[in-house]
Amino acid sequence: MRWPVALLFLPPVLAILAACDGAAESAPSAAADVVRIPLDETGIREATAMASPDTQNGVWMVAESGQAINFGNVGEDPLLTLACNLGELPSEFVIIRHAEALPGQSALFPIIGNGMRSRFLADTALATGENGGEWLWEARLPANDPQLDVFAGTRDLTATLPGRGMLEIRGSRIPGEFLEWCRAGGETPNAQPAEPAVEDEDS
């Protein structure tokens, strides 16, 4: 290797510094190779998990259709709906969680109560009727499915949808009675036929 002639006449220390300086100028800058990308362009977003709603004053109410019951706070939109589709044979039981949803999503929806732990597969669906245009989480299954026995009782329930919080539902006889009604095809279960009137023999 031949050094530049000018370096031969410099003091040793200065010659070394000059050589290093020249190498630094010829080397590409590391900073120049760094490309800054705004986080907004990476597709990374903060988690959209929702807090569990306050259901301390939640109650069950019969829907306008008469074929569903809604759970939620009075004067507010429902948080959970149990519906019955009598057009199917056997009747179809529908569990609806009213929470933010996007098309194509699905999740396991555990519901615990009455000595049972049931896990329902919920898919997102575009609602019709009273909730038309709203994306909801739905689990649909035959009314005679044994997993639905989680509603057959009067104990407290907890319904947890991942990322959408847990519903604490105070014990009530209404869900169990609604399940029985749906399983009976819309008939009042255990209803006793009216006894025929007995005519007075003296008349």
Side-chain angles (χ1 to χ4, degrees):
M1 175 180 180
R2 299 186 58 184
W3 294 90
V5 176
L7 293 180
L8 299 177
F9 300 98
L10 291 175
V13 175
L14 294 180
I16 294 173
L17 292 176
C20 291
D21 185 61
E25 290 179 359
S26 61
S29 171
D33 293 339
V34 176
V35 179
R36 298 184 180 277
I37 302 176
L39 288 177
D40 289 344
E41 297 179 8
T42 63
I44 300 175
R45 296 289 185 271
E46 293 184 2
T48 57
M50 300 169 60
S52 298
D54 182 3
T55 58
Q56 184 176 357
N57 298 316
V59 296
W60 288 100
M61 296 165 283
V62 178
E64 293 181 5
S65 66
Q67 296 186 7
I69 55 174
N70 297 320
F71 175 79
N73 297 314
V74 178
E76 300 180 7
D77 292 335
L79 298 169
L80 182 72
T81 295
L82 303 181
C84 181
N85 182 2
L86 298 174
E88 298 291 332
L89 190 65
S91 300
E92 182 182 50
F93 200 82
V94 187
I95 305 169
I96 303 172
R97 175 70 169 91
H98 299 262
E100 182 180 345
L102 296 174
Q105 292 181 315
S106 61
L108 284 178
F109 185 20
I111 298 180
I112 302 173
N114 295 304
M116 291 190 61
R117 180 191 299 266
S118 299
R119 302 173 71 190
F120 302 101
L121 178 61
D123 298 309
T124 56
L126 189 61
T128 58
E130 297 177 18
N131 302 299
E134 178 186 1
W135 283 95
L136 306 168
W137 296 88
E138 285 189 355
R140 294 176 172 268
L141 59 166
N144 57 10
D145 192 301
Q147 281 203 98
L148 293 172
D149 288 345
V150 69
F151 298 110
T154 58
R155 299 183 185 178
D156 293 352
L157 300 171
T158 58
T160 307
L161 185 64
R164 298 297 176 261
M166 180 178 71
L167 299 181
E168 296 186 51
I169 304 172
R170 189 168 45 192
S172 169
R173 59 180 175 76
I174 294 177
E177 291 180 355
F178 180 77
L179 175 61
E180 289 184 34
W181 175 83
C182 186
R183 284 176 167 173
E187 301 292 335
T188 302
N190 301 322
Q192 298 295 326
E195 295 183 2
V198 178
E199 295 184 2
D200 188 348
E201 295 180 356
D202 297 334
S203 60

